[in-house]
Amino acid sequence: MNLIYNSEQYSVVEFGADRDHEALHFGGYEIMDKSGKREIYIDGPAAEMFRKNVQDLIATEPSMEDIDSFLSSYDILMRQPMTLH
């Protein structure tokens, strides 16, 4: 588990690939919307696509606002309320 992005609005945690577990075959990402207090976990092919899109975004040397805007495209999918463990 590795925190790869953290702003006032969003946090993204990366879970490393684990070939022995189907859900983590490509790794996974937890995207948290702090103000909305909700999150989503993506894995499998969706995680692979997210990784590619993030790499493409980073290549453009984005600002934090650009990254937050990109992450906001996942807002509609976030249905899980954030809970603290």
Side-chain angles (χ1 to χ4, degrees):
M1 181 168 55
N2 186 26
L3 179 66
I4 61 170
Y5 182 74
N6 192 33
S7 71
E8 286 187 29
Q9 182 68 34
Y10 294 97
S11 287
V12 179
V13 175
E14 178 181 41
F15 294 85
D18 183 345
R19 303 287 183 208
D20 293 333
H21 294 89
E22 186 60 32
L24 290 175
H25 186 76
F26 298 107
Y29 296 91
E30 182 178 33
I31 305 167
M32 293 159 277
D33 173 4
K34 295 176 183 179
S35 67
K37 297 181 181 174
R38 57 197 175 153
E39 64 185 348
I40 184 173
Y41 179 80
I42 56 174
D43 60 5
E48 187 175 26
M49 180 60 74
F50 178 79
R51 183 180 303 112
K52 181 195 176 310
N53 290 340
V54 167
Q55 289 171 344
D56 292 347
L57 179 64
I58 290 171
T60 68
E61 298 183 18
S63 66
M64 284 188 95
E65 291 81 16
D66 295 332
I67 297 169
D68 281 355
S69 178
F70 165 76
L71 292 172
S72 74
S73 68
Y74 289 86
D75 284 353
I76 194 164
L77 302 173
M78 293 185 195
R79 305 226 191 266
Q80 181 71 28
M82 283 184 5
T83 58
L84 300 176
H85 304 281

